Amino acid sequence: MTDRPQSEIIREHPIGTGLDAFRASFESVCKDRGISCPALDAVSQLGQQDLQNLAFRLLNTLQILPITSLLRSNTGRGTLQIDLLKRIPALISDDLYNFDSDQFEPLFNAVITNKPDDEIWRQVYCAVTEATPPPRPIVFSFLQTPKSFNTNSFANSSEYRRHVDMVLKDELGAMYVDLPNFHNIFFGRVAGLKTASEAVFNKCMEGSEPLFRTGWRGWPTDANQDRVLAWLAEVSEKLAMFAEEYTPTPTPQRRLLVQPNKPILGSKAERKLDVGFVDDSKGGKDTQWNWSHVLVPGELKSNRSADIASNAWLDLGKYAREVFAAQDTQNSRRFVLGFTICGSLMRLWEFDRLGAIASKQFDINNEGLQFVSTVLAFLWMSEEELGFDPSIIKEDDKQFVQIKRNGSTERLIINEVMLRARCISGRATTCWKAHPEGDPQTPLVIKDSWQYPERDEEGELLRDATDKGVVNVARYYHYETVQVRGTDDDVRSNVRGGMDVSTAKNYRPEHSTPSTRTATASASRKGRSTSIAGKKRSSSQTDAALPSSKRSYTVSPTSDALPNRVHRRVILRDYGQPIYKASSRAALLAALKGCIDGHESLWRKAGLLHRDISINNLIINEDDNNPSWPSFLIDLDLAVRKERESASGAKGMTGTRAFMAIGVLLGEQHSFMHDLESFFWVLFWICVHYDGPNESRVIEEFDQWNYIRPVMLADLKKAKVDDEGDFIKSAQENFTLYYQPLIPWVNKLRREVFPNGGRWKKENEGLYDRMRGILGEAREDPEVLRRDSFAN
């Protein structure tokens, strides 16, 4: 082994054709599965077993390359070849529960797309060791919040299923299975369930031709989907009939829906549902069902071996995402229950804002009583037990939430849904337009979201910004932690009933701890009651000064370090529409300028960096009767204080993918300069995707910005802006007719944001004024104004 620099060793020992045999194997597997290769998303379309086999082949191929005996191990002992040899046996012995395909996906992509040798070896180190990989051009800052992406980050997307499914896999992460006590925690409070289930099961075993003897009568031994569905429909009806004398009053009107070949309405990407329980009061025999009607989705597979993450589990997750997205006000969901049946093996599932957990699997032909109990539970559970939010109160024809503010209780009447995040895991933000009861002229926005407790609370940041006179940022009205059953609502304690995922069969600590680095939290945070142990005071009940955001403790790999999300509600005093709905080009430019004013004011007056500039977080108000700002920023979920010394310890992306600055995509610590670059990408995106205030479109070239890997997206963005001629040609080809007059002005912004076609090297607060100046000049351009009035 040599002490020479790794980069020199890599340069002197090129891989050459050393990986061609693996590439051929990869293409062969893809061809067998009907997957086009090479393709950016080929890896994500392969099953878990294929990926595990390919990882074994690749590591075997790599370890015979002579260079591996020269490259140092990141453990500090021996060579990379030794690391590879140690990892290979684990790939043979790992079952599909424990194999982490995400760990190998970047390596697969680097190899099959013929990335430079240094990039391939960097990904090799990442895949086979837990130590820091070899030096790379961009150092991922310890101050930077780790990134994660979810299916809500899509903008102007067709939501092709292959793209959604790829990101959903990342969003859900580890799906923990075989958790003990699952049935009792989620079904234990169903009134009369235990007694009724035992009585009904006894009826099933009565008579000369019992419904159940050594198994269920009529069960199709080949587990053919159509026959299983017919059997389920028949048996569920009989079980409901047997249970009539035990049924609680009032009885929910529910039934099993069996329409596997008929799409369910309400999704962007057309999806069908194998089986599920629906609210029967919403329809009849010929009803075209909507995802808003689905109470419990189910997934069927004829093969028992399909009970794995890359097959039945992820398929059920796709349905759970649609249920979450469609059920937003009258039936807003905190969590979704579901089930999979693979062959005769059934597993019960719960999806929430941390991901997915599941029960132990059971054979419905061996565990007849448990099957009966499950069916009756899904038919009888209350709305709250099914995951609906009890803090949204229904009374007559009104829906409202109650808050405690300034020592009294207020009702906020919900008028309409403004936004519902289309995701499972994450902040899952929902916004409703509302007003105080008796005061419909005062517009408010109720924002519900599920936050990592390690983060600064958005309500505190908003109150601080409002108190300091920040302009053009949504103003604070109230915030609190949502209460359910008299307790602060969170995932770990309230939704999951204290269930410990570390007891799952496939639990791995590295998947669960909020950060493997030094995490941060304020010592004074202990006094802020962000834990769920005690009831958190609403902001209106205390005038205590805001605590310091500087933090200094280390996350330990104990169960206390497992991630959690807390259900928080922030009320805002400003209401408007997303900036892309501006009535004219001049109005759009003025609103963008106003939002930049807001960003600078937030930065200078309150010392807060926004970090999520996107088309949905820049708001315009063109209603003369609306007392809100003419234009303003919203959503401080990802905002941090200027003086913050280290990361929050909470896992989450710092931005919306399509609008993220190139440097952020490459791992740089977030700067106000990155946010200013995001303003550029917002304007560019609007010019490409909107042909006026109400006409949007999907462009395939840019749709991929929603789901490709950050480094790949950074390359695409760099190529888009590095040459003026190429940029103008691309704008002429891609900007809508409505926004063609803005091409010279967007190009002027490009020159300022990307000096000489490259990324900025030094922070310069003068960029605020230069960008505002260009936007102001553009508003006065006769060509923009003439065509603007002509277009309208």
Side-chain angles (χ1 to χ4, degrees):
M1 187 172 62
T2 177
D3 291 329
R4 286 186 301 154
Q6 303 279 80
S7 58
E8 183 180 317
I9 298 172
I10 291 171
R11 186 169 58 251
E12 293 179 358
H13 296 79
I15 295 173
T17 60
L19 296 178
D20 285 357
F22 171 79
R23 293 187 184 100
S25 295
F26 186 91
E27 291 178 5
S28 176
V29 171
C30 288
K31 183 178 179 180
D32 290 344
R33 303 293 181 266
I35 299 170
S36 60
C37 185
L40 283 173
D41 58 350
V43 175
S44 66
Q45 297 182 60
L46 290 171
Q48 196 84 338
Q49 184 66 69
D50 284 335
L51 292 173
Q52 186 170 350
N53 291 338
L54 286 166
F56 174 75
R57 292 181 198 174
L58 179 54
L59 265 57
N60 258 324
T61 303
L62 288 165
Q63 63 89 18
I64 64 174
L65 297 178
I67 186 177
T68 59
S69 63
L70 301 175
L71 294 172
R72 292 185 298 275
S73 167
N74 269 342
T75 64
R77 300 181 301 275
T79 66
L80 177 61
Q81 188 176 57
I82 294 174
D83 291 340
L84 290 165
L85 290 170
K86 287 179 179 178
R87 187 69 181 92
I88 290 170
L91 286 173
I92 300 173
S93 61
D94 276 356
D95 61 26
L96 292 181
Y97 287 149
N98 293 326
F99 174 65
D100 183 7
S101 59
D102 291 344
Q103 187 179 15
F104 283 89
E105 187 167 341
L107 174 57
F108 287 144
N109 283 325
V111 171
I112 64 176
T113 57
N114 285 290
K115 290 290 185 182
D117 286 8
D118 57 351
E119 172 65 12
I120 291 176
W121 289 116
R122 183 171 75 85
Q123 295 300 345
V124 170
Y125 275 95
C126 291
V128 302
T129 68
E130 295 181 359
T132 306
R136 47 190 166 181
I138 299 297
V139 178
F140 281 68
S141 171
F142 285 86
L143 300 179
Q144 183 67 29
T145 304
K147 297 182 190 68
S148 65
F149 296 102
N150 65 23
T151 52
N152 186 51
S153 64
F154 290 3
N156 297 88
S157 174
S158 59
E159 288 207 5
Y160 290 126
R161 281 180 292 177
R162 68 179 185 275
H163 300 157
V164 173
D165 298 350
M166 176 176 63
V167 179
L168 182 61
K169 176 184 174 184
D170 287 339
E171 175 183 322
L172 287 172
M175 303 173 73
Y176 295 114
V177 300
D178 289 0
L179 282 154
N181 211 32
F182 183 101
H183 193 281
N184 183 58
I185 286 176
F186 288 103
F187 296 162
R189 292 192 299 120
V190 181
L193 179 62
K194 185 175 186 297
T195 300
S197 298
E198 292 172 350
V200 168
F201 186 56
N202 286 334
K203 283 189 176 184
C204 291
M205 295 187 291
E206 292 175 355
S208 58
E209 294 186 9
L211 192 58
F212 185 93
R213 182 172 286 159
T214 57
W216 291 101
R217 189 180 71 210
W219 170 262
T221 55
D222 62 356
N224 173 271
Q225 175 178 282
D226 291 340
R227 287 195 284 271
V228 170
L229 288 171
W231 178 87
L232 279 173
E234 179 182 358
V235 168
S236 64
E237 286 186 13
K238 288 182 179 178
L239 296 181
M241 181 182 64
F242 289 164
E244 283 180 354
E245 62 183 285
Y246 307 98
T247 302
T249 304
T251 305
Q253 297 182 49
R254 296 176 191 157
R255 68 181 176 91
L256 192 71
L257 177 67
V258 179
Q259 291 183 351
N261 300 314
K262 196 172 184 180
I264 305 292
L265 299 179
S267 58
K268 290 187 178 181
E270 183 180 282
R271 291 200 187 275
K272 302 170 184 177
L273 177 68
D274 284 352
V275 64
F277 289 86
V278 294
D279 183 349
D280 204 18
S281 66
K282 302 292 184 182
K285 182 179 179 182
D286 299 321
T287 297
Q288 178 64 64
W289 293 93
N290 192 292
W291 285 105
S292 63
H293 304 146
V294 178
L295 302 175
V296 181
E299 171 67 12
L300 295 184
K301 300 291 183 185
S302 59
N303 192 336
R304 294 163 69 100
S305 65
D307 186 29
I308 55 175
S310 60
N311 206 326
W313 305 358
L314 188 58
D315 284 348
L316 183 65
K318 300 167 192 175
Y319 305 147
R321 176 180 181 264
E322 299 295 346
V323 173
F324 270 121
Q327 301 182 6
D328 48 30
T329 305
Q330 292 186 350
N331 45 6
S332 182
R333 297 295 280 264
R334 296 163 58 236
F335 61 90
V336 171
L337 296 173
F339 62 92
T340 53
I341 300 178
C342 300
S344 60
L345 298 178
M346 188 171 195
R347 193 187 294 277
L348 309 179
W349 286 87
E350 185 268 344
F351 294 85
D352 55 43
R353 302 316 187 176
L354 281 179
I357 59 174
S359 71
K360 295 180 178 180
Q361 63 178 201
F362 64 93
D363 193 313
I364 61 178
N365 282 310
N366 296 333
E367 303 289 339
L369 176 58
Q370 188 166 355
F371 176 72
V372 170
S373 178
T374 299
V375 172
L376 295 186
F378 288 146
L379 291 172
W380 289 2
M381 297 175 85
S382 69
E383 287 192 349
E384 182 180 334
E385 290 162 348
L386 280 172
F388 294 102
D389 189 346
S391 71
I392 299 175
I393 304 167
K394 304 168 191 175
E395 189 175 280
D396 300 326
D397 60 343
K398 296 186 297 187
Q399 287 185 291
F400 60 90
V401 299
Q402 291 188 161
I403 62 173
K404 290 185 178 180
R405 181 173 177 268
N406 297 330
S408 61
T409 299
E410 294 183 19
R411 282 186 175 185
L412 305 183
I413 307 301
I414 296 175
N415 299 326
E416 62 182 90
V417 179
M418 299 170 60
L419 170 73
R420 175 70 164 178
R422 296 183 59 81
C423 65
I424 298 175
S425 177
R427 290 174 289 157
T429 301
T430 301
C431 291
W432 299 288
K433 184 181 178 184
H435 66 266
E437 188 174 41
D439 185 13
Q441 302 307 312
T442 299
L444 297 174
V445 174
I446 302 171
K447 176 183 175 181
D448 257 26
S449 60
W450 294 78
Q451 303 289 340
Y452 280 121
E454 296 87 2
R455 288 200 190 281
D456 288 316
E457 296 186 35
E458 184 188 17
E460 290 182 355
L461 300 181
L462 280 168
R463 181 177 60 183
D464 193 24
T466 301
D467 289 346
K468 290 180 177 177
V470 169
V471 301
N472 294 0
V473 172
R475 287 165 289 192
Y476 169 86
Y477 185 83
H478 175 76
Y479 90 98
E480 63 185 21
T481 298
V482 175
Q483 298 278 301
V484 172
R485 296 192 298 275
T487 304
D488 283 358
D489 194 21
D490 76 322
V491 174
R492 285 176 56 189
S493 299
N494 232 18
V495 172
R496 294 183 177 180
M499 197 178 306
D500 185 357
V501 298
S502 67
T503 62
K505 176 179 178 180
N506 59 333
Y507 172 76
R508 294 174 66 179
E510 60 267 31
H511 286 164
S512 298
T513 52
S515 174
T516 57
R517 303 185 179 121
T518 299
T520 54
S522 172
S524 62
R525 185 174 292 276
K526 295 179 181 178
R528 285 163 57 179
S529 301
T530 53
S531 71
I532 306 304
K535 181 177 178 180
K536 182 189 180 300
R537 296 173 297 167
S538 69
S539 61
S540 59
Q541 294 173 299
T542 176
D543 295 321
L546 290 173
S548 166
S549 66
K550 296 180 181 180
R551 307 161 183 174
S552 59
Y553 74 80
T554 301
V555 171
S556 60
T558 66
S559 60
D560 289 338
L562 294 172
N564 195 15
R565 284 191 182 272
V566 183
H567 189 183
R568 291 176 178 153
R569 187 163 287 157
V570 177
I571 318 298
L572 309 171
R573 291 198 284 122
D574 290 285
Y575 167 75
Q577 294 184 311
I579 195 171
Y580 57 82
K581 294 188 177 182
S583 63
S584 68
R585 289 183 290 272
L588 171 70
L589 296 170
L592 194 64
K593 180 176 178 293
C595 288
I596 292 176
D597 287 339
H599 188 277
E600 183 177 25
S601 181
L602 188 69
W603 178 242
R604 293 187 187 277
K605 289 187 176 182
L608 295 175
L609 180 60
H610 190 281
R611 302 201 308 169
D612 192 10
I613 300 301
S614 66
I615 58 173
N616 287 314
N617 288 341
L618 309 184
I619 304 300
I620 186 171
N621 167 29
E622 298 185 85
D623 182 356
D624 293 336
N625 296 318
N626 183 346
S628 304
W629 300 110
S631 60
F632 55 97
L633 294 176
I634 63 170
D635 194 355
L636 299 189
D637 277 347
L638 298 180
V640 294
R641 297 187 186 277
K642 184 186 296 188
E643 71 272 17
R644 189 181 76 162
E645 291 185 347
S646 47
S648 67
K651 180 182 177 183
M653 69 177 181
T654 50
T656 300
R657 190 187 296 227
F659 313 107
M660 289 172 71
I662 294 169
V664 173
L665 291 166
L666 294 174
E668 293 177 353
Q669 181 183 349
H670 212 120
S671 161
F672 72 89
M673 296 285 286
H674 291 124
D675 277 3
L676 289 176
E677 181 184 331
S678 291
F679 278 107
F680 168 84
W681 290 118
V682 166
L683 180 57
F684 176 84
W685 189 270
I686 290 173
C687 290
V688 168
H689 290 91
Y690 293 90
D691 201 8
N694 301 306
E695 298 294 329
S696 65
R697 62 180 185 171
V698 175
I699 304 297
E700 186 172 357
E701 175 188 350
F702 297 100
D703 194 5
Q704 64 179 322
W705 287 22
N706 288 303
Y707 56 83
I708 62 173
R709 295 296 178 189
V711 173
M712 296 180 183
L713 179 54
D715 289 342
L716 289 178
K717 287 189 170 185
K718 283 189 286 186
K720 190 63 68 177
V721 298
D722 64 357
D723 181 85
E724 180 165 308
D726 291 345
F727 178 79
I728 292 174
K729 182 175 183 293
S730 174
Q732 291 170 339
E733 292 173 350
N734 290 296
F735 279 23
T736 62
L737 181 63
Y738 182 81
Y739 281 116
Q740 287 282 323
L742 294 189
I743 290 176
W745 300 105
V746 178
N747 184 49
K748 284 189 177 182
L749 282 175
R750 181 196 65 84
R751 291 178 191 167
E752 294 295 338
V753 176
F754 305 98
N756 299 315
R759 295 193 290 122
W760 58 272
K761 303 301 181 184
K762 185 178 180 181
E763 290 184 346
N764 185 347
E765 293 190 0
L767 184 58
Y768 280 111
D769 285 335
R770 295 197 297 275
M771 292 182 71
R772 282 190 295 249
I774 292 171
L775 293 171
E777 290 179 45
R779 286 187 63 208
E780 303 301 323
D781 181 357
E783 186 73 1
V784 171
L785 293 174
R786 184 178 68 81
R787 293 195 181 186
D788 215 3
S789 60
F790 178 78
N792 287 288

